[in-house]
Amino acid sequence: MTGEKGKSVTLDVQALLSRDEDYLPRMVQAIVEATLEAEMTAVLNAEKSERTEGRRGYRAGYYTRSLVTRVGTLELRVPQDRHGLFSTQLFERYQRSEKALVGALAQMYVQGVSTRKVKAITEELCGHSFSASAISAINKRMDAELEAFARRPLTEAYPYLILDARYEKVREIGIQSRAVLVAIGIDGEGRRNVLGVELANRESRSSWRDFLLGLKARGLSGVEFVVSDDHEGLKRAVTETLTDAAWQRCYVHFLRNALDHVPRKHDDDCLQELRWFYDRRDLAEVRQDLARWLNKWQDKYPKLTQWVEDNVEETLTFYRLPRQHHKHLKSTNMLERFNQEIKRRTTVVRIFPDDAACLRLVRALAVEIHENWLEGTRYLNMSHLAEHKKEQMRQLDRAEAA
C-alpha cells in the first residue's frame, strides 16, 4: 500500500511539471531558503538563539549564492556556521534535476500535501528527506505570507466587484465539499485585484454576508456595480452589505438556466435570438427586441417566455455602464476563467487532506494571478466611466433646466 502511494505522488509531480511552468520566483526563493534554514537547524540541533544542551554549533550569518532555475535567477541567503559543519546537498541535487525539484517544492508547499508524501518526494528526488517538524515550519511561514495577503487593507476604491464560488473536496470526517468564495475588484486604474479568497462549508446568505463584511472591515469601499450568478443567498448578502451598488445577474448563467424551460431537442433560433439581446447598443434597443421576441415565441414556448419576462431585467443592469465596459461586466466570465485556472491545478491534488491545505493552494494561486494582473495591461479604461458619469450629470442638468 505504501509503495502504491509513493508511485501516485511521483505521477502527480510529473503531471504538475507537464502542466505548469508559471511559479512565482519569490515564492520558490522563500521555500528554498526555508529549506536551507531547516537543514541548518537539523545540523546544529538547535533553532536560532535556542539554548539547549544538545547544540552542536553556532550560526555565523549568511553568504549569497545565485541559483539559475526555470523560474528565473534566485539570489539566495545561505546560512553558515562557525565551524563549517553545515554543507547542503540541495544545490547539487537541484542543478541535476532542477525541473523535478521545482515541481516537488511546488507540490509540497503550494499544494499542501501531507508531510508523509513530502518525505517520500524529497527522498526520491533529493536523496534525503526533511523532518515532519521542518516541513510544518516551512508551511507555517508560507501560511503567514498568504494570510498577510488575505488580510491586507483595501485602501483604494473598487467601483466594480465580481463574485463567484467553486467547490473543492476536503477529507474531513469523510470526504466533504467546501465552497471557495472569491471576490475580484477592478480599481480606479482599471486593474483587476484578487480581494478575497475564503472557504465556507457551503454557499449561503450567512457565508456570503460574512465574506463581504470581512472585505468591508478591511476597507472595501466605492463599490458601484456587482456581478454574480443568481444564487439566492449571494443576492441577499449583496443587498444587505453593499446597499449603494447595482447588481448584475450574469447573463451566461441566465442563458444556461433558460435551457430548463425548453424541450431538450428544440431545433430553432429561440435561444440564439435571446442571446442577441446582450449585444445591443442600449437598453431602448433591447426592450424593442424583447417585445418582438416575446410576441414571436410565446405560443410555442409559453413557459420560457414567461420565465424570461419575469427575470430578464436582472441581466440588463450592465446597460447603465459605459458601452466600452459592457463586454467585461455583463457576466462573470473573467472570474470563471480564474476558477478554471484554480481547477486546472487543484485537479492534481483531487482531495485535500484538510481545509488548511486547500486554502493554502487556492490562495497561493490567487497571489500568483493577482500579481500577474497588476504587472500586466489594464483590464478596463476607467476614463470611460468618469466621462459616462459626467454625461449623466449633464443630462440631469438639462432635464432640470427644461
Side-chain angles (χ1 to χ4, degrees), residues 167-315:
Y167 281 83
E168 298 291 347
K169 293 187 181 299
V170 174
R171 200 179 300 279
E172 292 278 354
I173 314 177
I175 298 174
Q176 307 288 334
S177 290
R178 292 287 187 267
V180 181
L181 310 182
V182 181
I184 305 298
I186 299 177
D187 62 24
E189 294 184 352
R191 298 188 183 279
R192 292 169 289 180
N193 296 253
V194 179
L195 302 185
V197 177
E198 298 290 346
L199 287 189
N201 289 333
R202 61 188 179 89
E203 279 192 274
S204 65
R205 168 188 164 275
S206 60
S207 63
W208 275 113
R209 186 174 183 276
D210 291 346
F211 179 68
L212 293 173
L213 288 176
L215 294 178
K216 293 186 73 173
R218 289 167 48 205
L220 177 65
S221 63
V223 178
E224 303 175 18
F225 190 85
V226 180
V227 190
S228 75
D229 62 25
D230 71 327
H231 186 280
E232 188 59 35
L234 174 52
K235 287 168 59 177
R236 291 176 60 190
V238 169
T239 301
E240 293 172 8
T241 59
L242 301 171
T243 54
D244 296 329
W247 176 68
Q248 163 74 25
R249 177 177 178 174
C250 172
Y251 89 95
V252 175
H253 286 84
F254 177 78
L255 293 175
R256 290 174 190 162
N257 297 151
L259 291 171
D260 296 333
H261 302 281
V262 294
R264 181 173 296 180
K265 294 186 178 180
H266 71 284
D267 59 355
D268 50 43
D269 295 330
C270 178
L271 294 183
Q272 181 59 43
E273 291 177 10
L274 184 61
R275 163 69 181 80
W276 290 339
F277 292 173
Y278 302 98
D279 295 328
R280 298 299 180 248
R281 293 178 61 87
D282 56 46
L283 197 53
E285 191 175 338
V286 173
R287 297 204 189 285
Q288 292 175 1
D289 288 348
L290 176 61
R292 285 193 290 266
W293 183 88
L294 291 171
N295 185 61
K296 178 179 179 179
W297 297 106
Q298 62 185 353
D299 291 336
K300 187 173 183 179
Y301 300 124
K303 183 180 177 182
L304 171 65
T305 53
Q306 185 60 56
W307 177 82
V308 168
E309 193 169 12
D310 292 342
N311 294 279
V312 71
E313 286 295 328
E314 296 177 337
T315 70

Side-chain angles (χ1 to χ4, degrees), residues 20-38:
D20 298 310
E21 299 178 355
D22 246 1
Y23 302 110
L24 285 173
R26 181 169 54 82
M27 189 76 77
V28 175
Q29 178 173 339
I31 292 167
V32 174
E33 289 182 342
T35 302
L36 293 171
E37 289 288 354

Side-chain angles (χ1 to χ4, degrees), residues 157-160 222-225 320-322 382-397:
Y158 296 93
Y160 298 146
V223 178
E224 303 175 18
F225 190 85
R320 68 179 63 186
L321 300 178
M382 297 303 279
S383 66
H384 294 310
L385 179 61
E387 182 56 37
H388 185 71
K389 291 179 179 179
K390 291 178 182 178
E391 178 58 29
Q392 287 180 322
M393 291 299 298
R394 287 193 288 266
Q395 291 178 2
L396 183 61
D397 290 342

Side-chain angles (χ1 to χ4, degrees), residues 26-55:
R26 181 169 54 82
M27 189 76 77
V28 175
Q29 178 173 339
I31 292 167
V32 174
E33 289 182 342
T35 302
L36 293 171
E37 289 288 354
E39 283 194 90
M40 174 64 87
T41 297
V43 168
L44 299 182
N45 197 33
E47 295 279 355
K48 284 183 179 180
S49 305
E50 181 184 7
R51 296 183 178 181
T52 174
E53 293 181 359
R55 177 184 284 278

